[in-house]
Amino acid sequence: MRWTRILADFKIVVRSYVRNPVALFFSLIFPIILIALFGLIFSGSGTAVIPMTVLNLDHNSPASQEFMDALNSTSFVKLSFVNWSASSFAANLGANDDTVGLIIPEGFEANFTAHRPVNVTLYTDPEDAASAGQAVFVVSEVTNAFNLKAANGSAILGVNTENVGSPVYTYIDYLIPGLIGFSILTSPMFSMVDIAASYRKEGIFRQLSLTPLTRAEWLSSHILWYMSLTFVTAGIMIGAGIVLFGAHVTVSLGLIPFLVAGPFLFVSLGMLMGSVAKTPESAALIGNIVTFPMMFLSGTFFPVSDFPPGLQAFAHVLPLYYVIDGMNQVMLFANAARALTDVLVVFGIAVVFFLLAIRFFQWRDE
Amino acid sequence: MADAIEVEHLIKRYGDLAAVNDIAFRVASGSVFSFLGPNGAGKTTTTEILEGLRRRTEGTVRVLGLDPWTDSRPLHDRIGVIPQDFRFFEKITPREAIEYYGSLFGTRPDAGDLLARVQLADKAESRFDTLSGGQKQKLGLALSLTNNPEICFLDEPTTGLDPTARRAIWKVIRSLKAEGRTVFLTTHYLEEAELLADRVAIIHHGRIIADGAPSDIIAAYGRPARIRFEAPPALADYLRAHLGLPVTAEDGRVEVELHEKGDVVRILSAAEASGIRWQQFATEQDTLEDVFVRLVGQMDEGTLKTETAT
Ligand SMILES: Nc1ncnc2c1ncn2[C@@H]1O[C@H](COP(=O)(O)OP(=O)(O)OP(=O)(O)O)[C@@H](O)[C@H]1O
Ligand SMILES: [Mg+2]
């Protein structure tokens, strides 16, 4: 590995890219479009607020009031209160064409303050899956926040209070790490698979094989390029999320390892997929088979913790999951230990894919 | 001096097809060797095997004493290559391409000089995808020289070039030879081979059918020199009767083969003495192209006598 050669090739990659105005435009505009689109579809603004009918059996106790306030402040739901009896609640919901209802049980405050388990009951209509999903998401997030608070309250030493008063994360906050992960995955995967096939077909690899440039150096310069691109797009996405939707995410140095390791992993994987395939068509097919499940099941658009258990288990074998989870830990939960584990996993997988890619990709035909 | 290229019993099969079918040749250091043959004869296949870009099926190949496939890395530092279908990064200019190669090889080529040498200086700042076919070829040639190679492999470097550009490339090839480099040149322009090459080999269906200096090949396979009149067939009859030399008549032309120097004078005086009116006359000699066409034709008809000129 020689840096002079990596840099010489890096210059070629950068020039090829920035001299392609369409590609450049899309790689800068696409992140904004993604954030805007998903932010508008799913965030609390506009039509995405769902009505929720609430029966408070705890006589408007302070704890139950606090729970309502927390639900309200997500701006995902609009609460309306009723005094129906608990036994006729479901029937009345149906009669009123309401699809989402919530019962706060009697003794909510007493149990909560005494740290005894207590359940709120959420009614949803499976036929209105979108509202149901959003209601489950919002209520479980608020419940989590309450549990965190309760846990802090019961901490033995009583000093670990940084989560008290922490904001309730809105969907846009989850969306930012998710969509950064999405672009870390998609832009190198699609283009490396394509480059692998087209450079072979056009004889560019054959041409490069006549120079001292090694395959590891060539791959490294591409990794370097996608890292640079990732830094730019992540910046754009965070900026757009904050400006357009008032997202509150933490931007810290802890993000850098993911913006480095992520492209390292997916450039290598893309090249590996493009190299094992014999034809450009099969390369594209293999690339899609690998990319699409990861695109949707790694916590890009919805937190993996909301998935059914089977899908959660599947998500844990997807490399992108660790990239997105790690960025969530850094940007939302300030959980450095878990972020470190995630980044080590990503680096480990990246090194393996890098070595495999170099092993499988050949400059020359037999 | 040792031979720059040594090839023995070289065979390359693609499935059932023997694209190169047991060939052998040597190229002396510092010489220009031209590899000729019709489309699909096996030229590019052979060339790429020598360049270490393709693996041979059987045989021994040494280029600068190295096995091109297994020792490709050290070999590539010492050879320059223009592939037949040269392609490069679309958005990169010739100047950038040369600087890129310079950084990869660790040489410091003067991009301006190199581009001027191949007559591409005016396009130094144009992107590759805007260059014409011939201009792309010229860039290929310039790039193949960035590492100061000992052998230049040029696979059809002048195909698609206009006549002036072709002459400019010839000049480059001559200067490469003058600098002591070996040139391995594939071409479909037989005059080019005749002008530039010290030796040529003609390959057809994967076999070498003639090999030697162009003049020797012409002497061995060409027809004798001829004198040609534009005249009625009666002249042919007259000359045949009076000279004892082979005479043919066709399409208002009469041709007489020359066997000795004095024949020209004898034929002309006989033609005068015949009293038959003839218009023009010219002497004719086979070119490498005539020989090539005839050899390839004969091989296709199965009538080729395989003897090798040396
Ligand atoms: N990769 C390949 N797979 C299968 N057959 C091949 C391959 N490359 C070449 N051939 C075949 O081998 C034969 C020789 O091809 P080659 O390219 O060496 O010809 P050539 O002499 O360079 O022709 P041209 O003058 O058209 O460039 C042809 O019949 C061609 O179809
Ligand atoms: Mg060829």
Side-chain angles (χ1 to χ4, degrees):
Chain A
M1 293 272 263
R2 276 258 201 92
W3 275 102
T4 48
R5 292 198 291 257
I6 296 179
L7 287 178
D9 194 60
F10 180 68
K11 263 204 242 173
I12 295 284
V13 177
V14 174
R15 283 174 174 151
S16 299
Y17 203 92
V18 300
R19 287 176 191 173
N20 191 340
V22 181
L24 191 64
F25 177 78
F26 275 104
S27 55
L28 297 182
I29 292 300
F30 197 58
I32 301 181
I33 296 178
L34 270 183
I35 288 283
L37 199 66
F38 284 95
L40 282 178
I41 293 174
F42 294 110
S43 80
S45 61
T47 55
V49 182
I50 55 162
M52 183 184 276
T53 309
V54 179
L55 173 60
N56 191 341
L57 298 177
D58 203 34
H59 313 292
N60 291 331
S61 61
S64 68
Q65 282 297 339
E66 207 181 318
F67 196 81
M68 296 301 126
D69 290 345
L71 282 178
N72 259 326
S73 74
T74 64
S75 63
F76 279 98
V77 289
K78 185 169 183 304
L79 306 179
S80 54
F81 299 90
V82 295
N83 313 318
W84 304 329
S85 73
S87 54
S88 61
F89 187 71
N92 282 334
L93 274 183
N96 282 308
D97 261 354
D98 294 337
T99 61
V100 178
L102 182 74
I103 298 183
I104 309 289
E106 196 169 351
F108 179 84
E109 161 122 358
N111 285 313
F112 182 70
T113 41
H115 293 294
R116 282 196 301 268
V118 57
N119 289 333
V120 299
T121 310
L122 180 64
Y123 289 79
T124 58
D125 181 353
E127 284 181 11
D128 186 0
S131 298
Q134 190 165 329
V136 170
F137 170 65
V138 170
V139 172
S140 56
E141 288 313 318
V142 171
T143 314
N144 282 343
F146 265 64
N147 284 336
L148 274 179
K149 264 191 191 180
N152 280 331
S154 72
I156 296 170
L157 286 177
V159 284
N160 200 3
T161 57
E162 76 265 28
N163 278 330
V164 171
S166 69
V168 173
Y169 302 111
T170 60
Y171 180 66
I172 190 74
D173 302 335
Y174 284 103
L175 198 55
I176 289 174
L179 289 185
I180 293 175
F182 178 87
S183 64
I184 286 178
L185 166 77
T186 51
S187 82
M189 280 297 276
F190 289 135
S191 34
M192 292 312 289
V193 167
D194 179 57
I195 285 178
S198 65
Y199 278 20
R200 186 166 39 189
K201 189 157 149 264
E202 290 169 16
I204 302 251
F205 282 152
R206 191 184 54 180
Q207 192 67 32
L208 292 177
S209 82
L210 294 164
T211 73
L213 187 70
T214 65
R215 287 168 297 168
E217 288 161 353
W218 182 86
L219 196 54
S220 301
S221 84
H222 285 74
I223 291 170
L224 215 53
W225 164 246
Y226 281 99
M227 282 176 189
S228 321
L229 199 61
T230 298
F231 275 91
V232 175
T233 48
I236 293 177
M237 285 176 157
I238 293 170
I242 292 173
V243 171
L244 298 178
F245 300 102
H248 19 69
V249 291
T250 314
V251 182
S252 72
L253 292 182
L255 213 48
I256 292 179
F258 292 96
L259 304 184
V260 167
F264 179 23
L265 194 161
F266 292 110
V267 171
S268 305
L269 181 59
M271 195 57 204
L272 179 61
M273 296 299 107
S275 308
V276 294
K278 289 274 177 287
T279 65
E281 294 74 22
S282 60
L285 188 70
I286 296 176
N288 288 348
I289 290 175
V290 172
T291 310
F292 278 101
M294 250 192 290
M295 213 153 110
F296 297 106
L297 299 178
S298 306
T300 34
F301 303 116
F302 300 101
V304 170
S305 54
D306 291 355
F307 289 178
L311 272 187
Q312 285 198 28
F314 181 64
H316 284 77
V317 304
L318 302 174
L320 184 61
Y321 166 79
Y322 296 94
V323 177
I324 293 177
D325 185 68
M327 289 194 294
N328 271 313
Q329 302 309 325
V330 172
M331 299 177 81
L332 303 183
F333 307 124
N335 187 341
R338 181 151 161 194
L340 184 66
T341 320
D342 285 333
V343 86
L344 290 178
V345 171
V346 177
F347 261 113
I349 301 175
V351 168
V352 172
F353 283 155
F354 181 84
L355 295 176
L356 284 176
I358 289 177
R359 167 85 178 63
F360 276 98
F361 122 66
Q362 293 297 330
W363 294 130
R364 322 182 278 191
D365 305 324
E366 285 285 295
Chain B
M1 211 189 280
D3 288 333
I5 301 173
E6 300 160 63
V7 174
E8 270 162 36
H9 296 301
L10 177 62
I11 297 177
K12 174 69 184 184
R13 288 195 195 91
Y14 298 112
D16 286 342
L17 172 76
V20 175
N21 196 355
D22 195 3
I23 64 171
F25 62 87
R26 283 165 177 264
V27 177
S29 261
S31 69
V32 176
F33 181 89
S34 186
F35 207 43
L36 311 172
N39 293 129
K43 302 181 297 298
T44 297
T45 302
T46 307
T47 309
E48 292 193 352
I49 289 170
L50 299 179
E51 294 159 352
L53 292 177
R54 243 178 246 224
R55 193 175 199 154
R56 61 186 181 273
T57 313
E58 279 175 43
T60 12
V61 176
R62 295 270 149 205
V63 178
L64 297 171
L66 301 168
D67 179 319
W69 183 259
T70 55
D71 299 331
S72 62
R73 187 60 267 134
L75 180 65
H76 288 162
D77 283 338
R78 297 169 63 191
I79 64 173
V81 168
I82 318 186
Q84 176 167 6
D85 182 20
F86 172 71
R87 298 277 289 270
F88 207 66
F89 303 105
E90 304 215 318
K91 302 291 174 193
I92 299 304
T93 69
R95 179 185 302 283
E96 290 163 350
I98 288 172
E99 283 162 1
Y100 174 54
Y101 265 47
S103 320
L104 295 185
F105 280 106
T107 55
R108 297 244 153 276
D110 183 324
D113 274 3
L114 213 46
L115 291 173
R117 195 170 176 189
V118 298
Q119 290 197 344
L120 197 59
D122 55 328
K123 290 286 176 183
E125 317 298 340
S126 305
R127 294 178 187 175
F128 187 75
D129 57 0
T130 68
L131 299 180
S132 75
Q135 289 163 346
K136 289 177 180 167
Q137 286 294 102
K138 290 180 186 176
L139 175 61
L141 181 59
L143 281 182
S144 75
L145 301 179
T146 48
N147 61 332
N148 198 17
E150 292 167 50
I151 308 182
C152 300
F153 288 94
L154 314 176
D155 195 350
E156 300 191 26
T158 56
T159 297
L161 295 192
D162 66 57
T164 24
R166 184 171 306 149
R167 276 163 186 74
I169 302 296
W170 293 353
K171 205 171 140 201
V172 174
I173 293 174
R174 287 205 185 90
S175 68
L176 293 176
K177 181 181 163 156
E179 290 161 6
R181 302 181 215 267
T182 309
V183 177
F184 187 96
L185 170 72
T186 297
T187 180
H188 286 297
Y189 301 105
L190 278 295
E191 56 165 330
E192 190 168 293
E194 201 171 341
L195 270 171
L196 298 172
D198 300 306
R199 281 178 79 88
V200 304
I202 299 176
I203 183 171
H204 189 31
H205 294 314
R207 291 180 176 278
I208 290 182
I209 56 176
D211 173 6
S215 53
D216 292 342
I217 292 187
I218 295 168
Y221 297 101
R223 290 173 299 165
R226 305 168 293 285
I227 192 160
R228 194 188 71 205
F229 298 92
E230 291 194 10
L235 182 64
D237 299 335
Y238 182 88
L239 294 177
R240 207 175 281 124
H242 288 81
L243 288 173
L245 287 168
V247 181
T248 52
E250 208 181 325
D251 293 341
R253 290 180 186 171
V254 174
E255 285 192 355
V256 191
E257 280 187 11
L258 300 172
H259 288 176
E260 284 163 38
K261 265 190 180 165
D263 286 349
V264 181
V265 179
R266 283 178 57 217
I267 295 166
L268 282 179
S269 18
E272 268 308 292
S274 72
I276 299 167
R277 276 179 63 109
W278 51 270
Q279 267 128 33
Q280 288 178 7
F281 84 92
T283 54
E284 290 212 328
Q285 189 148 26
D286 268 2
T287 59
L288 191 56
E289 181 153 338
D290 298 319
V291 173
F292 176 90
V293 170
R294 198 128 47 80
L295 281 176
V296 167
Q298 284 178 3
M299 189 174 171
D300 288 341
E301 290 161 12
T303 57
L304 181 69
K305 304 181 295 290
T306 41
E307 49 186 283
T308 320
T310 34

